[in-house]
Amino acid sequence: MRSRRITASSHRSLPLHLAIDHTTRYRFAEPVAYALQRLRIMPKATQGQVVLDWHVEYEGVKEELSYEDQNCNRVTLVSVAPGTSEVVIRCHGTVQTEDRAGVMGPHSGNLPLWGFSSQTAYTRPGPKIRALVAAVRREERDLLGQLHALSAMILEHVAYEAGHTGVETTAEQAMEAGHGVCQDHAHIFLSGVRLLGVPARYVSGYLMMDDRVNQEATHAWAEAYVEGLGWVGFDVANGISPDARYIRVATGRDYRDAAPITGISFGGVEEELHVQLAVERQFTQQ
């Protein structure tokens, strides 16, 4: 996942209507014998966010079933017919959002809070992340102060640059590389927060950027659970807490739980992947 950097915005505190048009197209080098794909592409109906309309269109796949997973993500399972060489998945719709200063409130879902306190293969800390957290502990005593300091230190040590990491890169590997994208920043933050003994989760979704409509990919950030506030968001890549420009789609313990598309295939190798994504504000008549 990638996104352009954004800045503090005058959109803050104003409810927004955001229009999203997201198309994923991938071609197989050879026709597949069979494949299943798990999609998490419908925005959540959650605090500060109302899905006004949402539509999904498919080419080359068949919808098998839809369900809500343990993280309250809407998941759709689709099958790829034998002999298919190209798949197109397009989703589009409108979501109303409001600025909650990153505070999402109480926990919900079937996975208990303690499930977000343990590390995963993506977030397991090594020497560099442990040293970063030790520095945060020395500088800040207040938990919120520690979380904001951790976010700032991550961006200071891991520059936002594409092309150095991939979807399988771990948090410690990104720290060692000193470069990464929003997925890497989120995983490092999760690793550090869990070292502090605090539950933390990964968020995938969309971000309306101030300088453009078309984007290269979806966005990712993280949330930590703070007693008295609930879940609080941190977009490390942009150095802010999420506001009304952010649309939450899926959450989980790491990228694997919240990825837009995951699955398995037999008899075909994915050769090309193309993403077209536009996020823009809709102005409504008062």
Side-chain angles (χ1 to χ4, degrees):
M1 293 186 178
R2 304 174 184 174
S3 77
R4 289 278 298 278
R5 296 293 306 283
I6 64 171
T7 58
S9 170
S10 59
H11 300 310
R12 189 173 297 277
S13 80
L14 296 176
L16 299 180
H17 283 196
L18 302 180
I20 305 98
D21 195 331
H22 180 197
T23 300
T24 302
R25 182 188 306 269
Y26 52 95
R27 297 183 178 90
F28 296 96
E30 299 176 1
V32 297
Y34 185 73
L36 286 173
Q37 303 287 339
R38 186 182 293 111
L39 312 180
R40 302 177 191 87
I41 54 177
M42 181 175 181
K44 287 173 174 283
T46 187
Q47 296 94 331
Q49 180 170 295
V50 178
V51 181
L52 300 177
D53 62 89
W54 197 254
H55 310 278
V56 182
E57 301 160 5
Y58 308 109
E59 293 180 23
V61 299
K62 173 187 175 184
E63 183 173 322
E64 299 291 347
L65 60 92
S66 181
Y67 61 94
E68 190 173 88
D69 69 10
Q70 71 274 19
N71 294 301
C72 294
N73 301 323
R74 175 53 54 182
V75 181
T76 302
L77 190 67
V78 298
S79 61
V80 182
T84 298
S85 58
E86 181 179 75
V87 169
V88 179
I89 300 169
R90 182 194 176 205
C91 53
H92 55 98
T94 311
V95 179
Q96 178 179 298
T97 61
E98 64 181 65
D99 184 4
R100 297 174 59 92
V103 179
M104 302 311 302
H107 178 64
S108 62
N110 296 321
L111 188 63
L113 270 176
W114 57 259
F116 297 94
S117 297
S118 59
Q119 305 288 3
T120 70
Y122 273 112
T123 70
R124 191 168 295 116
K128 287 190 174 295
I129 292 179
R130 292 184 183 278
L132 193 69
V133 172
V136 168
R137 282 194 169 115
R138 287 194 300 268
E139 293 187 10
E140 295 284 347
R141 294 184 180 180
D142 171 75
L143 177 57
L144 273 177
Q146 289 181 338
L147 296 176
H148 283 290
L150 177 62
S151 177
M153 286 185 182
I154 293 170
L155 191 56
E156 180 181 340
H157 287 81
V158 182
Y160 185 94
E161 292 181 16
H164 298 275
T165 57
V167 294
E168 297 299 327
T169 302
T170 67
E172 185 69 14
Q173 288 170 341
M175 277 292 297
E176 292 174 352
H179 308 272
V181 292
C182 54
Q183 174 181 314
D184 305 302
H185 288 142
H187 279 150
I188 298 169
F189 186 83
L190 296 180
S191 180
V193 172
R194 290 167 182 166
L195 275 178
L196 291 170
V198 176
R201 66 187 181 188
Y202 186 100
V203 187
S204 66
Y206 300 109
L207 168 61
M208 183 189 75
M209 298 181 293
D210 295 330
D211 62 345
R212 59 186 294 190
V213 171
N214 295 316
Q215 305 179 31
E216 294 181 356
T218 55
H219 193 47
W221 58 99
E223 293 174 349
Y225 191 84
V226 179
E227 291 293 338
L229 292 175
W231 290 106
V232 180
F234 295 83
D235 180 3
V236 178
N238 287 297
I240 65 172
S241 288
D243 55 28
R245 293 168 292 180
Y246 290 71
I247 300 168
R248 300 167 80 250
V249 174
T251 58
R253 297 179 66 219
D254 58 23
Y255 167 78
R256 196 178 306 277
D257 284 348
I261 301 177
T262 58
I264 56 174
S265 62
F266 302 95
V269 178
E270 187 177 302
E271 185 178 60
E272 297 181 11
L273 173 68
H274 298 283
V275 174
Q276 291 179 294
L277 173 60
V279 184
E280 60 183 325
R281 182 179 182 182
Q282 282 192 337
F283 292 90
T284 58
Q285 292 183 348
Q286 299 297 321

